Amino acid sequence: MDKKSLLLTGTVLSLSATAAFAEGDIIKIGALYPTSGPCQLIGEYSLLGTEILAEEINAAGGLNGKQIEVIHRDSKCDPAEATAMARDLIAREEVDFLVGGVSSSVGQAISEVSRQEETIYIAAIPKSTQMTSPENFHKFVFRAAANTNTEGKSAAVIADQLEMNKICTILMDYSYGHSLNEAFTAHIAKIRPEAEIVQQEWPKNGTTDYTAHITNIMAAGCDGVFSGVWAGLFPAFAKQAAPFGFFNQVKYVTAGEVGSPEVAEQMGADMPEGIWANSYEVFYHSAADAHGEFTAKLQEKLGVENTPSWPVVGYVAAQWLTEAIAKAGSSETDAVIAALEGLSIDTPIGPQTMRAEDHQANRGQFWGKMVQSADDSYPYRRMEPVSYVVADELMD
Amino acid sequence: MITQRNLILLGIVGAALLALPLIGSLFAIYLVNEILIFALFALSFNLLLGYGGLISFGHAAYFAIGAYACAVLLTTFGWPFFLAFGAAAVISAVCAAVIGYFCVKLTEIYFSMLTLAFAQLVWAVAFKWIAVTGGDTGFIGVAVPDWLDVPVRFYYFTIVVVALCAWIMWRIVNSAYGFTLVATRENRNRAEFIGVDVKRIQLVAFILAGTFAGVAGSLFTLFNHSVFVESAWWTQSAEVMIMSILGGVGTFLGPALGAATLLILDRFITEWTVYWPTFLAIILLAVLFFFPEGLMGFASKRKKKGE
Amino acid sequence: MFDNPMLTFIQLLNGLSLGMSLFVIAAGLTLILGVLRVLNFAHGAFYMLGGYVCFSLVKLLSGVPGGFWLAAIGSAIALAGMAYLIERTMLRHLYERDHLYQLLFTFALVMIIGDLVRFTWGTQVLSVSLPPGFKGAVNLGIAYYPSYRLFLCLMGVIVAVGMWYFVNRTRAGRFVRAARQDREMLESLGINVGRIYMLTFVGGSALAGFGGALAAPAVALSQGMDAEIIVQCFIIVIIGGLGSLGGAFLGALILGLLNSFGVMLVPNFEIVLIYLMMVVVLMIRPWGLLGKPEAQ
Amino acid sequence: MLKIENLGMNFSGFQALNGINLELQEGEKHAILGPNGAGKTTFFNCLTGQLYPTDGVTHYKGKKITGLTPSRIVNRGIARSFQRINIYPKLSVFENVQVALIADKKMMFNLFRPGAALFRDETARMLELVNLTDEADETAGLMSYGKQKQLELAIALSSEPDLLLLDEPTAGMSPQETMDSIALIGEIASKRKLTLLFTEHDMEVVFAIADRMSVLHHGELIATGSPDEVRNNEEVRRIYLGEHADDAA
Amino acid sequence: MTLLDVSDIHTAYGISEVLFGVSIRVEDGECVGLLGRNGVGKSTTMRSINGLTPPHKGSVTWRGSEISGQPTYDIARLGIGFVPEDRRVFPELTVWENLDIARRSRGKADEWDEQKVYALFPELETFKERKGGFLSGGQQQMLTIARSLMGNPDILLLDEPSEGLAPLVVDKLRDQIASLKAQGLSIVLAEQNLNFVLELSDRVYVLEKGEVKFEGTPAQIREDPELIKRYLTV
C-alpha cells in the first residue's frame, strides 16, 4: 500500500489522458479531496476510487466517445482552501464537474462555489443536512453520501432493536454532531417512545481527552449510548473508555464509520467487542457480483487482502456523474442535472437512486455488531452479521 | 521613500493589475483577486509589526470579525451594500479598540500572548454562536449584490478598495503619527520622555490595523460568498505573519509581496506534491538564513548593489 | 453538582491525570523558553514525533518484556538526537536574532516534521495499546480507576520532582539557572553556555518526546495532534509564568481540572473557558501565576 | 518651581533613596553631586515618572506630579537627558528632533499630515542650536559619542521645557567637547530661561554652571547650598570632595 | 614572556566604533591600571580581551599565543578571570551557588576553594545561603571577585570595583586586592577612582576616546596635574 506510487498513478493517468486526446474530446472532472491535513487518509482513498472509475471507463472506450480526466486539488480539509481550489479547478483547468469533499464545512464551501460558477458538484462524503437544507440548496449540488439524517435515524433503529431505554449521547460539538442529534432524538422518540435521553455529552472540537465525558456518562446510569465519535477519533476514545469498564456497562451504538475494516484492523484488540457500528463498505460483505469485482480490483491495486472502505465512496460519487453523462448523452450542465434527478445506478454496493426533489442519494450504510472474527485470515473484529440498512424509509 | 523609479514600478504594477482581465483568464482574476485581499491583510498587519514593532499573534481575529460582520449585516439584516461594508470596518475597529485597550498595556511576549488569547476567544465565540455565524459549517450564501457578483467587477472593486486602503495606510505611516509610531518602536523609553503616550500611540496602531484587517475580511467574504470559522484560528494569524516576514517587514509593500508569493506557491506547489509544507518551510528557512530582510529587502539590496 | 462525591472524585482524577501528562510536555517547553528565550512552536511537533517513534518501537520490540517502557525511553532518546542536530546545525545561529526569526524557524520545523511523520507513518490513525499490566482499573476503595491514568499522575509527579531536583540541587541545574539569568557572565566564568543551551534544548525536546510516548497509549496518533497540544502547552506556560517550572506544574493542573470540571459543570462554555482564563490571567498578572515580572 | 518632599525609593529591601527634600526656584541651576551609585539616576527616574517612588511627593509649579506617567510629566514641561545615550539610533538626526517636535506640538495623533514636512524650520533651528546642522542627515546611531550627547540635548530641548534634567551631560566627552557643551548648556539655559537640575562628575563643569548644589550619598541628601557652602561642608569634604579633590587635583 | 599583550585592537558594538587601536601589555604578576572617564573604552577593552566583544582588528595574545576570536569560555579557561562592572552576581543563586558554578581546577598547586575564598572575604561565609540579589553592593562586589577566584585565574580583569561603594568598603576592597596581588595574581584594574588605581598599580594606561593617551607609572601621573586635568579630571 504505497501511497506515493498511488498518487503518482493518478498524475500519470491524467497526463496520458491529456496527451492522447484533444481538448474537446475530454470530460474533465475536478476532484477535491484532502491529501494533507487531518482528513488526508479518507481523501487519498476516495480519490483512488474516483480514479479507478475513470480508468475503467477510459479502458472501455470512454464516455460518449470521450475520455475522462480526473484533475485533483488538495482541499486540505479547510473550507477556505477548498473554495480557492474549487475555483482553481473551474477557472484554470476548466473542469466540467466537481466531486469530493470530506468535512461538512468543506462540502458547504464547494457547494457555494458550484452555485456561483454553475458547475455540478457531487458531494462524496459531507453528511451534514445543512448543505441540502432549503436555505442552502441549489440545483447544482448533489449528495452521494448518506446524510446525518439517515445516519442518525439508522442508529435509532439499532438502538430500538437493542432495547435501549435510558440513553446517553456523546456527539462532537460541531455541526456533524448536532445534526446527528436532531435525527436520532426525533426518530427514537417516534419509534421507541419509552426510551429516554438521560445525558448528553458534547466533546469539543480538537479534544483528545474524553475521560470527563466518559465519567459523566457512566455516572448517569444509562443502559445505552449513541455516539458520534467518528472513526478518526474513536481509537483514542475507546482506549480511554475501556479501562473504566465502559463498554461492559453500556450498549454502544456509534455513527461515523467506526465499523470500517481499516479502523478495526488498525485498532486490533483495542476495538471493543460487541459495539454496534457502521461503515460505507465492508469488503467481507459479499464476494459476488459488482462488489466482488471491485474488491478484487482494489486488492490488486493496493496489494492488500483487507481492502479499505473509502475507495468505494469516491467511486460511487463519480459514478453518478458518469452515468448521468451517459444517460444525457452530453456533458452540458443542464442536461446532466436533468439526467441526475431521479437517476438510478448500480454501484458496487448495490442499486441507488438520486432523489429529484433534494438531490440526495438514497445511500444506506452497513451496520453490524463488532465481534472477534472466527476467520483466521482476518484476525480483527468485524461486523457479524453485516446488515445493509436501506435509507429509503428513513429519508424525510 | 518615493523615488521616481519606485513610482514607475508602481505604475507598471498598477497598469498590469488593471489590464489583467484583458487576457481573459478567469483563473488569473481569481488568483490576483485573492492576492490583493491578503496583501491588504498583510499590509494591515505590518502597521503593527513593521511600524509599531508589535508582534500580534491574533491579527486574524479582526479579519474574521470584519468578515462575519459584513456577512451578517448584508445577509441576515439585509443592509444596503455600502452601509454593511462600511459598518463591518467600523465593527472591526471597535473590537480592535476594546481588545487593544487591554493588549497595549502589556509589552513584548506578554502582548503577543494576550493578542493570541483574545483571538482564540473570538474563534471560540464564532464557533459556538451557531445562530449568527453558522458555527463550523460557516456562514454560507452571503448576499452579494448582483452588480458586484461578476468576477471581473468584483476584481475591479477589490483593486479600488485595496488601493484606497493602501494609499491611506501609506499616508498614515508617513504622517506625523506614523513618525511617532516608528519612534515608539525604535525607542519606547525615549518616546515617553518626549511626551508621547506610547500606549495610546500603540492603541491607535492596533485599531488601524484591525480596521484594515476587517476590510480585508469583508472583501474575502464577498469574494467567497461565505465565511469560515477557520479564519479566526491562530494558524491564520501565523500565516499573515509568515507573509509579512517573507516579504519583508522593513518596507511598506514587502508584506504584499509576501502575500503574493505565499498564495502563488500554495496554488502551484500543492499541485505536484502532497509535501508542500516542506517546500514552504525550506523557502522560509532560506529567507531566514540568507535574506533576513525578506524578499523585498533582498530585491532592494540587489538594486543598490547594481547601481 | 457536587452531590455525587464519587463522580467528583473521578473527575478530579481525570483532571489530575490529564494535567500531569500535559505537564511532562509543558515542562520541556518552559525549560527551553526560560533558558533559550525561544518560543518553540515546534514543541508540539516533537511531542507528536515522540508518539509515532514510540509506536514503531513498540512494534519492533513486540514480545520483548517491558517493550513499551523501552520504547518510551527510546522515543525520548530519538527526540534528543533530533533536537541535537537541529540545535547544532540551525537553531544556535538564531539565538542572537530577533524573536520573530526564531518563531519563524520553529514554524518551519512544524511543517517539516508534519511531513516527515506523514511520509514515514502514513496518514491512518495509529494506536498504541496500553502496556501490559496497565490495561485495567485499580480499586481505590470508593471507585475503580484506570491504572494507566494513575500511572500518568505518578509520572507527572516524578518528572516534576526530578526536574526540581535537577534544577535546584545539582551543579548542572545551577548552570541552567545561571544561564537563564546572565549568559555573558556565565561565559566569562569559563562555562560553555552554548553547550548548556544545546543540552537544555535537547533535554526539553526529550521531554516532549517522552510525553508523546506516554500519551500514545492514552490517545490515538494522528496528524494534527501537534497543533492541539501546542496551544494547550502555551496556555499552561503562560498562566503558570514563562520559564517557571512550578508555574508549568500549576498551569497544567489548572488546565486539567478546568477540562474535567468544565465538562461537568458548564459543558456549553467549556471551549470558551480556557481562553477566557488565559485572558484574565494575562490581564491581572501578565507574568503568570508563579512567574516574576521582568526587571526593567 | 519644583518641590520634593521626603522622596524615598526602596527596591525590594534596598533603600536607594531616602527622605530627600529639595526645592528649586525658577531659573535656578542646581547640580546634584555624588559618587557613582549614590542614587542620582534613581533620583531622576523618580522625578520623571520612570520609577514610582515608594515614599514622598513631588510638586511642580504647585501641582503634584508624583504618579504621573513620563509622557504626562514631559507635557507639564519637564524634560530630561540620559546618562546612557538614549536616542533613536536608526533614524536620522533630523528625524530624531522632528519626532520630538511633533510630540511637543501635539501632532502625534495626526494621521494625515505628512510627518516629513512638519516643523522643518524648527528642527533646523534646533540642530543649529546644538551645532548639528551638518549632521542632519546622518544616522543617529552612527555618530560619535559627543555628537549623540548633543543630539540627546536637542531632543530634550524640543519639548520646550521649563525645567531640564540632565544626567551627566558631559560624561565621556573630551575637555574641548566638555567646554563647548558647558557653554552651550549655559547659553541655552539663559536664553530660554530654563531651570536646570543636573548631575555631574566633573567639578569644573559643576562650578561653571551651578548656582546651587546638593550632594547625594547613599541615597540621602547630605548637603544643599551654594557651591561655597557645599565645598566647605565638613561632611562633604570628608566623604566626597575631600577624597578626590585633595589627592588628585 | 609577556602574560597578556593587547596590540592595536579596534572594537565596535554593531556599527558604532568604540576602540581605535588600543595596545596594552601585562607582565606576569603585574597590576596594570586603566584610567579614563566614563565611556572612553575601559570596559570595552576588557570585553575585547575576554572575547565578549571580540575586536575586529588587532590581536590579543596570551602567553604568546593569539586568543582573540576564541569563544569567551575558552579564554576564561586559559586563566583570564573577568569581574565586570555592575557586579552581575546571579541574583537567583545563593552565594554558595554563585561560587560553586565558577569552581574550576586548573591543576595549580595551591588552588582556591570555598574555604580560602571565605577566608579572604569573611562576610560571604556569613551570607552563604543568601541569594545574590539580596546582598549589599559591597558584598556583591566581593562575591564577583570571589567567584572569579574560584576559577583559579592567572589574571583578573577588574572593571570599576570601587564604583558605588562606601569609602570604608573601598578601603577594605583595596586591601583585599592588594593581598591578591601579593599572592602573585596579575591584575588589570579599570577605574575612575584615581587613588584607588594609583595605590594598587605598577603601571597605568590612560584612555581617552578609545585610544591610549598615556602610559607610565603611578608616580608619573601624580606628578603631572595637567595630565590629570586633561584626561581624568576627577
Side-chain angles (χ1 to χ4, degrees), chain C residues 193-210:
Chain C
V193 180
R195 175 168 294 159
I196 290 174
Y197 275 32
M198 183 271 283
L199 289 173
T200 305
F201 188 69
V202 165
S205 306
L207 273 176
F210 188 58

Short mmCIF file of all heavy atoms in Angstrom, two decimals, chain C residues 193-210:
data_model
loop_
_atom_site.label_atom_id
_atom_site.label_comp_id
_atom_site.label_asym_id
_atom_site.label_seq_id
_atom_site.Cartn_x
_atom_site.Cartn_y
_atom_site.Cartn_z
N VAL C 193 28.32 28.25 27.51
CA VAL C 193 26.88 28.43 27.63
C VAL C 193 26.17 27.88 26.39
O VAL C 193 25.06 27.38 26.48
CB VAL C 193 26.54 29.91 27.86
CG1 VAL C 193 25.03 30.10 27.98
CG2 VAL C 193 27.20 30.41 29.12
N GLY C 194 26.86 27.95 25.26
CA GLY C 194 26.29 27.37 24.05
C GLY C 194 25.93 25.91 24.28
O GLY C 194 24.88 25.44 23.85
N ARG C 195 26.80 25.22 25.02
CA ARG C 195 26.52 23.81 25.29
C ARG C 195 25.35 23.65 26.24
O ARG C 195 24.54 22.73 26.10
CB ARG C 195 27.77 23.13 25.87
CG ARG C 195 27.50 21.71 26.27
CD ARG C 195 28.77 20.96 26.57
NE ARG C 195 29.57 20.81 25.37
CZ ARG C 195 30.88 20.57 25.38
NH1 ARG C 195 31.52 20.49 26.54
NH2 ARG C 195 31.53 20.43 24.27
N ILE C 196 25.26 24.57 27.19
CA ILE C 196 24.12 24.50 28.12
C ILE C 196 22.81 24.74 27.36
O ILE C 196 21.83 24.04 27.56
CB ILE C 196 24.29 25.52 29.26
CG1 ILE C 196 25.43 25.06 30.15
CG2 ILE C 196 23.01 25.67 30.05
CD1 ILE C 196 25.79 26.03 31.22
N TYR C 197 22.85 25.70 26.45
CA TYR C 197 21.67 25.94 25.61
C TYR C 197 21.32 24.66 24.86
O TYR C 197 20.17 24.25 24.79
CB TYR C 197 21.95 27.06 24.61
CG TYR C 197 21.72 28.46 25.15
CD1 TYR C 197 21.95 28.75 26.48
CD2 TYR C 197 21.28 29.47 24.33
CE1 TYR C 197 21.74 30.03 26.97
CE2 TYR C 197 21.07 30.76 24.80
CZ TYR C 197 21.31 31.03 26.12
OH TYR C 197 21.10 32.29 26.59
N MET C 198 22.36 24.09 24.27
CA MET C 198 22.13 22.89 23.47
C MET C 198 21.51 21.79 24.33
O MET C 198 20.52 21.18 23.97
CB MET C 198 23.46 22.44 22.84
CG MET C 198 23.38 21.26 21.93
SD MET C 198 23.60 19.73 22.83
CE MET C 198 25.36 19.74 23.07
N LEU C 199 22.12 21.57 25.50
CA LEU C 199 21.62 20.50 26.36
C LEU C 199 20.21 20.80 26.85
O LEU C 199 19.38 19.89 26.98
CB LEU C 199 22.57 20.29 27.55
CG LEU C 199 23.91 19.67 27.16
CD1 LEU C 199 24.87 19.65 28.35
CD2 LEU C 199 23.72 18.26 26.62
N THR C 200 19.93 22.06 27.11
CA THR C 200 18.57 22.42 27.53
C THR C 200 17.57 22.11 26.42
O THR C 200 16.51 21.53 26.66
CB THR C 200 18.50 23.92 27.88
OG1 THR C 200 19.49 24.21 28.85
CG2 THR C 200 17.13 24.28 28.41
N PHE C 201 17.95 22.49 25.22
CA PHE C 201 17.06 22.23 24.09
C PHE C 201 16.87 20.72 23.90
O PHE C 201 15.75 20.24 23.71
CB PHE C 201 17.63 22.86 22.82
CG PHE C 201 16.70 22.81 21.66
CD1 PHE C 201 15.53 23.56 21.64
CD2 PHE C 201 16.98 21.99 20.56
CE1 PHE C 201 14.66 23.50 20.58
CE2 PHE C 201 16.11 21.94 19.49
CZ PHE C 201 14.95 22.70 19.50
N VAL C 202 17.98 20.00 24.01
CA VAL C 202 17.91 18.55 23.85
C VAL C 202 17.05 17.95 24.97
O VAL C 202 16.17 17.13 24.72
CB VAL C 202 19.34 17.96 23.87
CG1 VAL C 202 19.30 16.46 24.07
CG2 VAL C 202 20.05 18.30 22.56
N GLY C 203 17.28 18.40 26.19
CA GLY C 203 16.53 17.86 27.32
C GLY C 203 15.04 18.19 27.21
O GLY C 203 14.19 17.32 27.41
N GLY C 204 14.75 19.44 26.88
CA GLY C 204 13.35 19.84 26.75
C GLY C 204 12.66 19.06 25.66
O GLY C 204 11.51 18.63 25.81
N SER C 205 13.38 18.84 24.56
CA SER C 205 12.79 18.10 23.44
C SER C 205 12.61 16.63 23.80
O SER C 205 11.64 16.00 23.39
CB SER C 205 13.67 18.24 22.20
OG SER C 205 13.88 19.59 21.92
N ALA C 206 13.57 16.10 24.56
CA ALA C 206 13.43 14.72 25.00
C ALA C 206 12.18 14.57 25.86
O ALA C 206 11.46 13.58 25.76
CB ALA C 206 14.67 14.28 25.78
N LEU C 207 11.91 15.58 26.68
CA LEU C 207 10.69 15.53 27.49
C LEU C 207 9.45 15.53 26.60
O LEU C 207 8.48 14.83 26.88
CB LEU C 207 10.63 16.74 28.43
CG LEU C 207 11.33 16.58 29.77
CD1 LEU C 207 11.28 17.89 30.53
CD2 LEU C 207 10.67 15.49 30.60
N ALA C 208 9.50 16.34 25.53
CA ALA C 208 8.36 16.35 24.60
C ALA C 208 8.18 14.96 24.00
O ALA C 208 7.07 14.44 23.90
CB ALA C 208 8.58 17.37 23.50
N GLY C 209 9.30 14.34 23.60
CA GLY C 209 9.23 13.01 23.01
C GLY C 209 8.71 11.99 24.02
O GLY C 209 7.88 11.14 23.68
N PHE C 210 9.20 12.11 25.24
CA PHE C 210 8.76 11.20 26.30
C PHE C 210 7.26 11.40 26.55
O PHE C 210 6.51 10.42 26.68
CB PHE C 210 9.58 11.49 27.56
CG PHE C 210 9.36 10.49 28.67
CD1 PHE C 210 9.61 9.15 28.48
CD2 PHE C 210 8.93 10.93 29.91
CE1 PHE C 210 9.42 8.24 29.50
CE2 PHE C 210 8.73 10.03 30.94
CZ PHE C 210 8.97 8.69 30.74
#
